[in-house]
Amino acid sequence: MSWGHCTCTVEICEREGPYQRIIDHMNAALRISAMVGLVALNIQVMAQWPADSTARITVCQAPGQQQYPRLVSDGSGGAIVVWEDGRAGSTRIFAQRIDSAGVVQWAADGIEICTADGSQRPRLVSDGAGGAIITWWDMRAGWPNGSVCAQRVDGSGAIKWAQNGVVLDSVANSVAFPVIAAYDAGAVIAWHGVDGEPWIQKIDTAGVIQWAPGGVQVALRGDNPMSIIGDGDGGVILAWSEYDVDYIDKEIYASHIDAAGNVALTPPDGAIICDGPEAQVFPDCVPDGHGGAIIGWYDTRDADHYPYAQRYAPDGSMQWTTWWTACGVRSADAVAGAGAPALLASDGDDGAFVAWRGLMSSDVFVQLIDSVGTPQWNGDLRLTTDAYGGVTDLVADGSGGVFVLMSRNESKIKLQHLSALGVPSFTNEGLTLAYGIQYLGNMEGVPDGEGALIVAWAESPVFDFNIYVSRAVVTDFPTAIGPSPSADISSGCRLDPIAPNPVHGVATVTYATGRTTRVVFELFDARGVKVRTLMDRVVPEGETTFHWSADGLAGGIYVMRMMADGFTASQRVAVR
């Protein structure tokens, strides 16, 4: 099979930077010369994504710094991007939407989400209706009391909640940037309090706070960073690191918070995921395919440092517990570079991809672990050398593979796509998305469900940092919707093709069991995150049909999974 690609780039905002007023004539001349070179290289094509992967398209350059972009699918093949913006002197929050053709949809330079001074580090999730719920931290209450806030914007760029958003925390309990996870009617947002302790709050799509005013305290202490995922039933799993009792080394903790805001019955500091010798830091969570999480981290217990992982999920009595070896399992053979986080992405089933930066040559490695943490590939897969920026994002493609986004030491953004077997889609150490001068903050991508990844980053072509997006396509991506009928003779179970597929409204699901048994149907998004449980009940022997409504789901590719009497079958389904 041959693989191909096409990519394109669109910049979100551009204007003259404030440095132009203070540079001397010589620097001004150099700047003009540099800009002429950039114009020569960057042809503005707003009607569609360009095909040349090295083409640089510049739209605008805002004053001040634009940095820390995040993005989420708009449900229609495009993306909504949010970033921290310094054009007003103090940082504020701006956003922009790019449609599936690469056309900017909202006002030039983006729309203002929050005007409060000191607004920083935005995160966002889909609102399930073509828009987004955005959270951030700002200084509206005055130093040193920060506020964690949230706002919803719809697909047209209209602000839906109160001006400058809804405050989620109390005045005195927020000191760190928030993380966010979606549920089917809103979002759950977590942050650290003044003593590092994790707090959490739930807000619905109408902007109404769902849990206790000021948030729910999850544990007595903690430290950055945190990682959060939804459990598919309106709750979340939250993981964080914290110092041991001697305040020497860090350990990994986690907790489950259900749909009503109840924290799992764990010790005051949460469930111990790993309290091994030396330090365990940078936790990252992905779904385990059964309502729990696989949690990975960077671990220094060995003479050489490696990525480790652990599964945290409910047991048969619905008590939340760890499932693998105490303190987790080592998920790789290749040594990790100093302080190199291990990033995880769901494999769409019950395992996970793990990516990390290597030690001596700063290579980038990837491995696939199964449901018990065992590496599946014969040796860790080395993708590239000299990637001193390391792995910036790891994104499930929705079809059992993964996108790996990397920053190269020669100021390149590189992308690779791997199948479930570890087969790369692009040659020459990946596809080059951008040749830049300097990058700032995070780079991340979001899949469109049909073989493309939309990537956002902040880059400084001359002086100020600007926000860009790019789209890379695997042309031979397996986009066929739904497999052939699945059946198991021994159990008598069967899952027929979902009809219609793609779904617009209501679909019919037909299945069969060989005896009276419990049947569970679950729906997962392209990242492998459980969206909802469609059915969970005991059914009689024989063929059964139920009707599933896709109302409330953002457009895109999903995976429907049936489990019954030891039988498991999955089908990809498109929602339009």
Side-chain angles (χ1 to χ4, degrees):
M1 178 180 293
S2 62
W3 296 86
H5 71 269
C6 60
T7 66
C8 47
T9 306
V10 175
E11 185 176 354
I12 307 300
C13 49
E14 174 187 296
R15 287 181 188 154
E16 289 186 341
Y19 299 106
Q20 185 179 3
R21 294 188 298 271
I22 62 173
I23 58 176
D24 58 23
H25 294 294
M26 180 179 294
N27 284 336
L30 290 173
R31 184 179 189 276
I32 293 170
S33 176
M35 292 303 297
V36 169
L38 289 172
V39 171
L41 290 172
N42 299 308
I43 303 171
Q44 299 187 26
V45 181
M46 293 301 298
Q48 62 183 10
W49 300 103
D52 184 357
S53 67
T54 61
R56 296 285 300 145
I57 300 176
T58 304
V59 177
C60 59
Q61 180 183 351
Q65 306 283 28
Q66 287 76 46
Q67 57 190 350
Y68 301 108
R70 301 282 180 175
L71 76 169
V72 70
S73 171
D74 67 356
S76 301
I80 295 173
V81 185
V82 65
W83 65 92
E84 179 183 308
D85 194 295
R87 73 183 71 179
S90 178
T91 54
R92 297 180 177 182
I93 306 301
F94 276 72
Q96 182 61 270
R97 180 184 169 211
I98 300 90
D99 70 9
S100 60
V103 179
V104 171
Q105 295 296 295
W106 299 342
D109 297 349
I111 59 171
E112 201 163 32
I113 301 298
C114 179
T115 62
D117 288 342
S119 301
Q120 300 175 54
R121 303 301 198 278
R123 298 285 189 110
L124 76 170
V125 292
S126 170
D127 68 355
I133 296 174
I134 302 167
T135 187
W136 66 91
W137 183 84
D138 66 40
M139 295 301 301
R140 69 180 64 191
W143 180 263
N145 299 319
S147 297
V148 173
C149 308
Q151 180 63 269
R152 182 184 176 195
V153 59
D154 68 16
S156 69
I159 301 299
K160 306 302 291 183
W161 298 344
Q163 183 180 7
N164 285 336
V166 178
V167 178
L168 303 179
D169 61 339
S170 66
V171 172
N173 78 347
S174 167
V175 297
F177 310 130
V179 293
I180 185 170
Y183 75 103
D184 58 1
V188 180
I189 297 163
W191 64 92
H192 282 294
V194 291
D195 294 320
E197 75 281 5
W199 291 76
I200 199 160
Q201 183 59 272
K202 189 176 192 178
I203 189 167
D204 68 13
T205 52
V208 178
I209 289 176
Q210 300 296 294
W211 294 342
V216 175
Q217 187 172 350
V218 178
L220 297 181
R221 58 198 181 103
D223 198 4
N224 268 328
M226 292 190 292
S227 180
I228 188 171
I229 59 170
D231 66 359
D233 290 313
V236 296
I237 300 159
L238 182 69
W240 65 94
S241 62
E242 66 179 60
Y243 280 102
D244 59 21
V245 293
D246 297 319
Y247 282 86
I248 297 175
D249 294 320
K250 286 188 175 181
E251 303 164 342
I252 305 295
Y253 288 78
S255 190
H256 175 251
I257 302 91
D258 69 17
N262 299 309
V263 180
L265 296 177
T266 58
D269 290 325
I272 297 173
I273 301 302
C274 181
D275 60 353
E278 302 302 327
Q280 292 82 41
V281 291
F282 307 127
D284 193 22
C285 297
V286 296
D288 70 349
H290 301 280
I294 296 175
I295 303 172
W297 64 89
Y298 170 78
D299 198 300
T300 67
R301 76 182 74 174
D302 305 306
D304 291 321
H305 303 164
Y306 297 94
Y308 273 72
Q310 178 63 274
R311 182 180 173 218
Y312 178 59
D315 59 19
S317 61
M318 297 308 295
Q319 296 297 310
W320 282 78
T321 185
T322 54
W323 285 71
W324 299 343
T325 303
C327 286
V329 297
R330 200 175 89 183
S331 51
D333 292 324
V335 176
L343 299 186
L344 272 65
S346 171
D347 68 352
D349 193 5
D350 50 13
F353 295 96
V354 185
W356 67 100
R357 176 173 54 82
L359 179 60
M360 299 303 294
S361 62
S362 295
D363 299 346
V364 169
F365 292 92
V366 182
Q367 180 59 267
L368 173 65
I369 58 175
D370 65 9
S371 60
V372 295
T374 304
Q376 297 299 289
W377 297 338
N378 184 20
D380 305 322
L381 182 62
R382 189 174 83 170
L383 297 188
T384 184
T385 59
D386 299 326
Y388 292 108
V391 184
T392 63
D393 202 10
L394 194 65
V395 185
D397 69 4
S399 291
V402 68
F403 291 99
V404 188
L405 190 62
M406 301 165 284
S407 174
R408 293 290 300 273
N409 68 324
E410 63 268 40
S411 298
K412 292 180 183 177
I413 299 176
K414 301 283 284 189
L415 178 71
Q416 185 58 271
H417 174 265
L418 302 173
S419 72
L421 299 177
V423 178
S425 299
F426 306 117
T427 59
N428 298 324
E429 298 189 336
L431 179 67
T432 299
L433 297 184
Y435 295 97
I437 297 175
Q438 185 179 3
Y439 302 113
L440 181 66
N442 54 285
M443 307 171 193
E444 69 175 29
V446 63
D448 70 352
E450 298 184 0
L453 187 75
I454 300 174
V455 180
W457 71 93
E459 180 183 334
S460 173
V462 179
F463 291 105
D464 295 332
F465 283 85
N466 311 315
I467 305 299
Y468 299 83
V469 294
S470 178
R471 182 174 180 263
V473 179
V474 178
T475 56
D476 286 350
F477 185 81
T479 56
I481 304 301
S484 58
S486 302
D488 178 63
I489 297 176
S490 61
S491 67
C493 294
R494 185 187 81 243
L495 175 61
D496 292 345
I498 301 164
N501 193 0
V503 180
H504 183 74
V506 177
T508 299
V509 181
T510 301
Y511 65 96
T513 61
R515 61 178 179 177
T516 299
T517 188
R518 179 188 178 198
V519 178
V520 178
F521 275 88
E522 297 173 323
L523 193 70
F524 300 83
D525 66 14
R527 285 180 175 261
V529 177
K530 181 180 170 184
V531 175
R532 62 183 62 167
T533 298
L534 305 178
M535 187 185 79
D536 185 352
R537 64 173 182 263
V538 175
V539 300
E541 174 186 356
E543 184 176 290
T544 306
T545 295
F546 74 92
H547 299 289
W548 164 56
S549 173
D551 290 347
L553 288 175
I557 303 297
Y558 295 83
V559 175
M560 182 183 292
R561 184 175 68 186
M562 170 188 172
M563 294 182 291
D565 200 17
F567 167 78
T568 301
S570 300
Q571 289 191 28
R572 295 177 72 238
V573 56
V575 173
R576 299 295 189 226

